Amino acid sequence: MLKIDVLTIFPRMIEAGLAEGVVGRARTAGLLDVVVHNLRDFTTDKHHVVDDVPFGGGPGMVMKPEPFFAALSAIRAQRGAPDAVILLSPAGERFSQDGARRLSALGHFVLLCGRYEGIDERVREVLATEELSIGDYVLSGGEIPALAVIDAAARLVPGVVGDDSSVEADSFTRGLLDYPHYTRPAEFEGRQVPEVLLSGHHAEIRRWRREAALQRTQQRRPDLLATAALDAHEREWLKRSKS
Ligand code: 4GX
């Protein structure tokens, strides 16, 4: 079972995000062991203060190191030594499907969620084994990135997604964008579902989907084609579509 600990000053944000859907079911099914820790529980002052003014001056507040160190000691004692301690921050390495695969294969990792202008650098230096970013935009804290990382890693744990074939079909498992999906009705607002999908010709449907995924990837994310797992037919189709 994949073991994850999350350190945050907003534990309800994490709990709410983990209660629903595939991840919620994985937790109740015992496939995923997530414990969310409130950083304020590891303070020692009356008002449970987790932040302080920055040395050197400047705007905003910085998260104090002591609660993170105390929490990590408690996690090590209660839950064992983690394989990775991950700080979520815009300065981290970009999180990817490969990153999700790597984390899903670990036994135990810890996610550190910062708020304010950032975290005291000694947390990064001493506690964090790596730093991850979910993209080039500024969020108000590491909680949404932590949820993204947990969700992406959890769905790669065997049994978490009910049907293995739907993980295999996921766009980034193949390295291509997904093909278009349709359901009933066959005509909606004057727009028809492509005839081939109604035909029952499974070989032709497979071919249409493969080509639609290739076309969409070429149009929107040509960078993905460099590393996508393509067969001979797909390479040929791409060569022809360029000319
Ligand atoms: N992908 N943020 C973290 C506070 C902070 C700053 C420095 C630790 C070190 C983000 C992202 C992100 C905003 C979360 C700043 N904590 N994290 N927060 N994009 O924008 O991961």
Side-chain angles (χ1 to χ4, degrees), residues 117-145:
E117 301 315 303
I119 303 184
D120 185 281
E121 189 64 16
R122 289 157 297 184
V123 171
R124 198 180 241 138
E125 291 170 349
V126 178
L127 297 182
T129 61
E130 57 185 289
E131 196 164 342
L132 294 177
S133 165
I134 64 161
D136 290 344
Y137 36 81
V138 181
L139 298 167
S140 309
E143 286 76 15
I144 287 171

Side-chain angles (χ1 to χ4, degrees), residues 182-188 191-198:
Y182 295 90
T183 186
R184 288 176 288 193
E187 190 204 317
F188 180 68
R191 308 183 72 86
Q192 281 284 347
V193 172
E195 197 61 42
V196 60
L197 300 180
L198 312 175

Side-chain angles (χ1 to χ4, degrees), residues 38-51:
N38 188 343
L39 202 61
R40 292 193 196 279
D41 293 345
F42 299 93
T43 55
T44 52
D45 63 303
K46 191 167 79 183
H47 299 291
H48 303 289
V49 174
V50 294
D51 61 336

Side-chain angles (χ1 to χ4, degrees), residues 70-127:
L72 247 300
S73 294
I75 289 169
R76 281 194 205 95
Q78 295 162 19
R79 307 260 291 159
D83 301 306
V85 177
I86 302 163
L87 177 60
L88 286 319
S89 123
E93 179 193 333
R94 179 68 58 86
F95 183 59
S96 65
Q97 190 66 18
D98 283 341
R101 228 167 271 133
R102 176 176 62 84
L103 296 182
S104 74
L106 297 180
H108 180 198
F109 62 87
V110 177
L111 296 167
L112 308 180
C113 305
R115 285 261 151 184
Y116 315 114
E117 301 315 303
I119 303 184
D120 185 281
E121 189 64 16
R122 289 157 297 184
V123 171
R124 198 180 241 138
E125 291 170 349
V126 178
L127 297 182

Side-chain angles (χ1 to χ4, degrees), residues 138-160:
V138 181
L139 298 167
S140 309
E143 286 76 15
I144 287 171
L147 285 169
V149 167
I150 294 168
D151 191 278
R155 31 186 303 110
L156 299 176
V157 172
V160 167

